[in-house]
Amino acid sequence: MRTNMTSLTQTWMTLLLSNILPNDHNSDLLLPKCQLVYAILTRMSIHVAQLIAVAIYLFAGMPPTRHPLDPDKSNRALGFLALITGLCQSFGVPITPSKVIRPPITRAFIEKYCTPKQAQAPDAPPPPPQADPAGSFDTEWYLWHLVRQKAANHRAHVQTHDCLYQLSLSL
């Protein structure tokens, strides 16, 4: 998938997965995060503080998971490591990190990790021409359709679960 992304898209994806909605790795970009990258690239209004607050709330409420081989270790990634460490440092708390914090996203980082693989290959075919925005379908409407469809699927799943639960009580 990365080979089809522009450098700008890969850079935003890396920033998103490293700092805004951190993940333990940067290889998976699920649909909601794809939609967020699209919203950033099309300059839609995004409330980043709310995204981070919700992610911290969800992360803090998750039960700890244990490592399958060593039950004394946690198997969960540290959330917002750079943010928490930076805030502690700004208030004078001495920091001795035991986990390596990802380096900042600089021009050198972008050139090394966010350059499309097609551009690095000498015999790469030219990218396909972009469709005319006026003649293409409305992408924003399509994304909202996907969100509504996901919500409808969730409601159907909850209703099915409730029906099966009621059925189990009657048996």
Side-chain angles (χ1 to χ4, degrees):
M1 184 168 110
R2 279 183 179 249
T3 58
N4 298 326
M5 290 184 183
T6 64
S7 294
L8 181 63
T9 305
Q10 288 187 36
T11 304
W12 276 112
M13 181 192 77
T14 303
L15 177 71
L16 177 72
L17 294 176
S18 297
N19 298 330
I20 299 174
L21 298 173
N23 201 352
D24 57 346
H25 52 81
N26 284 351
S27 60
D28 292 343
L29 190 65
L30 302 176
L31 186 60
K33 292 180 182 178
C34 283
Q35 292 169 338
L36 186 57
V37 170
Y38 172 79
I40 291 169
L41 292 172
T42 56
R43 299 178 186 267
M44 290 183 185
S45 178
I46 300 169
H47 198 312
V48 177
Q50 183 179 9
L51 285 173
I52 292 173
V54 168
I56 290 173
Y57 176 78
L58 293 173
F59 185 82
M62 290 173 50
T65 57
R66 294 290 165 208
H67 193 274
L69 300 176
D70 187 357
D72 294 334
K73 291 183 179 179
S74 176
N75 199 24
R76 197 166 79 184
L78 296 173
F80 299 96
L81 181 63
L83 174 65
I84 294 168
T85 305
L87 288 172
C88 289
Q89 281 179 335
S90 69
F91 283 96
V93 176
I95 302 296
T96 55
S98 60
K99 184 152 174 105
V100 177
I101 299 174
R102 290 183 179 132
I105 299 173
T106 61
R107 182 173 299 279
F109 180 91
I110 292 169
E111 289 172 359
K112 184 173 182 180
Y113 297 107
C114 299
T115 303
K117 302 298 181 206
Q118 294 172 345
Q120 293 176 354
D123 298 332
Q130 297 293 324
D132 179 33
S136 63
F137 68 96
D138 186 1
T139 308
E140 186 175 350
W141 176 87
Y142 180 70
L143 290 175
W144 280 111
H145 170 74
L146 288 176
V147 168
R148 289 191 302 267
Q149 187 178 34
K150 184 178 176 183
N153 287 342
H154 176 71
R155 288 191 306 272
H157 180 72
V158 168
Q159 185 66 32
T160 303
H161 182 271
D162 186 50
C163 289
L164 290 173
Y165 177 72
Q166 294 299 326
L167 179 66
S168 71
L169 291 178
S170 67
L171 294 177

